[in-house]
Amino acid sequence: MKNSKIIIDGKNFEKEDLSNKNNNFTLINKSSFINCNLKKALFKESQIYDVTFKDCDLQGANFSSSNFKNTQFINCNMKKIVFNSSRFINLNLTQNDCADLKCRGSQFKNSKFEKNQFLNLDLNRTFFENSEFDTVKFVGCKMFMFFCL
């Protein structure tokens, strides 16, 4: 069975369980997810614009080949998320649990990373342009062809 494609525009979710669904969130615009369960949710090849994820469990979610603009992740469980080949503009990543993320081949532009510890990330071929790092620690990360401009 093919995954259902989901479009979310201008919606706010609080304490919702959207985990392990057989859906692909293809467009999320001007929305927020507060204290939601999004474990193993599928966002592959999605467009995510003006979205806030706060206090959410995103463990194992797949955001491969997605485009993000003006997106915030605040105090979320981001263990084992896949962001491979994704593009980020104006990302704000603050106080998240970031372990075992896959960001291979991703691009970050005008982004801010604050109070995060990155454990065992795959940052190979990752590009950061005009991005800020404040109180950030990288431990055991793969960083072959890792670029910061």
Side-chain angles (χ1 to χ4, degrees):
M1 183 175 185
K2 194 172 183 179
N3 291 348
S4 301
K5 295 186 179 203
I6 305 294
I7 296 173
I8 298 173
D9 191 11
K11 300 210 184 227
N12 299 311
F13 297 91
E14 192 165 346
K15 298 182 181 177
E16 296 285 335
D17 185 357
L18 302 166
S19 63
N20 295 312
K21 304 294 183 201
N22 192 31
N23 299 317
N24 189 37
F25 296 92
T26 54
L27 172 65
I28 304 175
N29 186 49
K30 296 181 181 174
S31 299
S32 66
F33 297 84
I34 309 296
N35 200 20
C36 291
N37 182 358
L38 294 155
K39 273 186 177 179
K40 297 185 179 178
L42 184 60
F43 298 89
K44 192 173 180 181
E45 299 176 355
S46 295
Q47 309 303 308
I48 301 172
Y49 306 128
D50 301 305
V51 175
T52 298
F53 296 92
K54 185 174 181 190
D55 300 321
C56 292
D57 189 348
L58 292 153
Q59 184 170 334
N62 187 341
F63 291 91
S64 292
S65 301
S66 293
N67 292 307
F68 297 80
K69 187 172 183 184
N70 302 324
T71 303
Q72 299 182 79
F73 292 92
I74 303 167
N75 196 40
C76 293
N77 176 1
M78 299 180 73
K79 292 177 182 172
K80 298 184 179 182
I81 288 181
V82 178
F83 285 120
N84 289 340
S85 300
S86 291
R87 308 291 174 260
F88 300 85
I89 298 173
N90 299 326
L91 170 73
N92 183 342
L93 199 69
T94 305
Q95 291 183 322
N96 297 286
D97 186 356
C98 301
D100 301 309
L101 271 69
K102 292 179 176 36
C103 297
R104 180 183 294 261
S106 293
Q107 296 178 2
F108 298 85
K109 185 174 183 179
N110 301 327
S111 296
K112 184 170 183 177
F113 302 86
E114 187 176 9
K115 298 178 184 172
N116 295 290
Q117 180 167 310
F118 298 112
L119 301 172
N120 304 317
L121 271 65
D122 183 350
L123 294 169
N124 288 335
R125 297 181 182 94
T126 301
F127 184 81
F128 294 88
E129 180 182 349
N130 197 32
S131 295
E132 285 182 48
F133 297 88
D134 183 15
T135 319
V136 173
K137 190 177 201 179
F138 294 93
V139 178
C141 297
K142 296 176 186 174
M143 301 171 98
F144 176 72
M145 293 183 67
F146 174 86
F147 301 97
C148 290
L149 296 176

